[in-house]
Amino acid sequence: EDKVVQSPLSLVVHEGDTVTLNCSYEVTNFRSLLWYKQEKKAPTFLFMLTSSGIEKKSGRLSSILDKKELFSILNITATQTGDSAVYLCAVEGTYKYIFGTGTRLKVLA
Amino acid sequence: GAVVSQHPSWVICKSGTSVKIECRSLDFQATTMFWYRQFPKQSLMLMATSNEGSKATYEQGVEKDKFLINHASLTLSTLTVTSAHPEDSSFYICSAFSGQGRETQYFGPGTRLLVL
C-alpha cells in the first residue's frame, strides 16, 4: 500500500535553532516528492524533488531526496517565529499524490 | 507572479443544495488543475485531477457524480458539490503547476464550505 510518513509529528524549538523534518515514502512509480508549508490557510509550495542527492535551497530552507532509501529531509536553519507552521510532504506516483500527515513546527521567540 | 484564485472564499448552505467553486489561474495557463479537500486538523487529500478539455481523474473513494469537475478553459476549473450534506463541510483547495516543467505549484486560497 502506498504511504507517506512524516516525522516528527510535532516539534517545538527556539528561534535560531536548526530543524530537520523527515519524510519517508513507499509509492508505486515514484515521480516526485514535494514539500509544502501550511499556516492558517492553503499550503505554500516549497520544493519539488525528483532526483536523488541534489539539494534544493531557498533561503534558510533546503531539502534533499534519497530515492534509494525512500526518504527526504527538509532543513530549516536559524529558525524564526514566522517558520511556525505545518510542513507537509507529498509524493507523486502515477496519477496520484499522497500526502503525509504533516509535521507541526512551533518556533518560540 | 503566477497566482491561483478561488471563488467564493466561504460558503454556507443548506443540506441538499449544490455549491459551485471556481478556480482560476491568473497569469498562466493550466492544462491540469488539482482539487483537494482538507478536514480540520488533517492533511490535504487529493480529490481529483482536472484536465482541460477532458474528463477529470478522480481519486479512489471520491464520488464523481457528487463532485462534478469541469475544466472548460486553460484558466478555469470548477468543482460542484451536488446535493451537499453536512459531512461535505470542509476546506476545498485547488492548485496548478506553472510552466512546462512544472516549476512551481500554486495553490488557491481555499474555499471553506459549511453545510447546515
Side-chain angles (χ1 to χ4, degrees):
Chain A
E1 184 188 339
D2 293 344
K3 61 181 178 182
V4 175
V5 177
Q6 288 186 249
S7 63
L9 292 178
S10 186
L11 193 55
V12 180
V13 300
H14 287 95
E15 270 194 317
D17 288 350
T18 293
V19 297
T20 298
L21 310 182
N22 303 288
C23 175
S24 63
Y25 64 91
E26 290 177 33
V27 167
T28 308
N29 297 325
F30 173 89
R31 291 188 64 189
S32 66
L33 184 144
L34 305 101
W35 284 98
Y36 304 91
K37 176 183 181 183
Q38 186 173 26
E39 296 170 89
K40 290 188 177 164
K41 285 206 162 183
T44 304
F45 174 84
L46 295 176
F47 300 112
M48 175 191 276
L49 304 156
T50 55
S51 302
S52 254
I54 298 173
E55 186 183 53
K56 290 216 171 178
K57 213 167 159 53
S58 176
R60 296 177 293 103
L61 276 66
S62 64
S63 184
I64 197 160
L65 173 67
D66 185 329
K67 287 165 76 172
K68 185 180 173 190
E69 300 298 328
L70 307 182
F71 77 92
S72 172
I73 59 171
L74 175 68
N75 271 325
I76 309 175
T77 58
T79 51
Q80 301 170 357
T81 54
D83 296 326
S84 297
V86 174
Y87 290 84
L88 292 167
C89 167
V91 175
E92 182 189 8
T94 306
Y95 306 123
K96 64 175 166 184
Y97 286 84
I98 301 167
F99 281 82
T101 51
T103 293
R104 186 174 295 277
L105 173 65
K106 174 87 174 167
V107 182
L108 303 174
Chain B
V3 173
V4 172
S5 70
Q6 272 184 251
H7 176 82
S9 301
W10 259 103
V11 183
I12 301 175
C13 68
K14 288 185 177 178
S15 189
T17 58
S18 292
V19 175
K20 182 189 274 190
I21 303 169
E22 291 186 351
C23 176
R24 291 181 189 273
S25 57
L26 297 183
D27 291 325
F28 64 102
Q29 294 181 332
T31 53
T32 302
M33 289 183 171
F34 302 92
W35 286 97
Y36 303 86
R37 181 166 54 181
Q38 187 173 33
F39 293 106
K41 299 197 178 177
Q42 292 188 27
S43 188
L44 285 179
M45 297 268 307
L46 179 66
M47 297 175 67
T49 302
S50 169
N51 304 299
E52 187 267 335
S54 65
K55 289 183 180 179
T57 306
Y58 289 82
E59 295 299 299
Q60 198 169 14
V62 178
E63 299 173 56
K64 59 179 73 173
D65 294 331
K66 180 166 182 66
F67 298 99
L68 301 179
I69 289 173
N70 185 284
H71 194 151
S73 78
L74 287 170
T75 59
L76 174 64
S77 174
T78 60
L79 169 69
T80 302
V81 184
T82 61
S83 187
H85 290 282
E87 58 265 29
D88 298 322
S89 299
S90 188
F91 190 45
Y92 292 86
I93 307 169
C94 71
S95 77
F97 281 96
S98 73
Q100 295 281 3
R102 307 199 306 160
E103 291 90 15
T104 304
Q105 185 179 14
Y106 294 94
F107 284 85
T111 297
R112 199 165 292 283
L113 171 63
L114 178 61
V115 185
L116 303 176

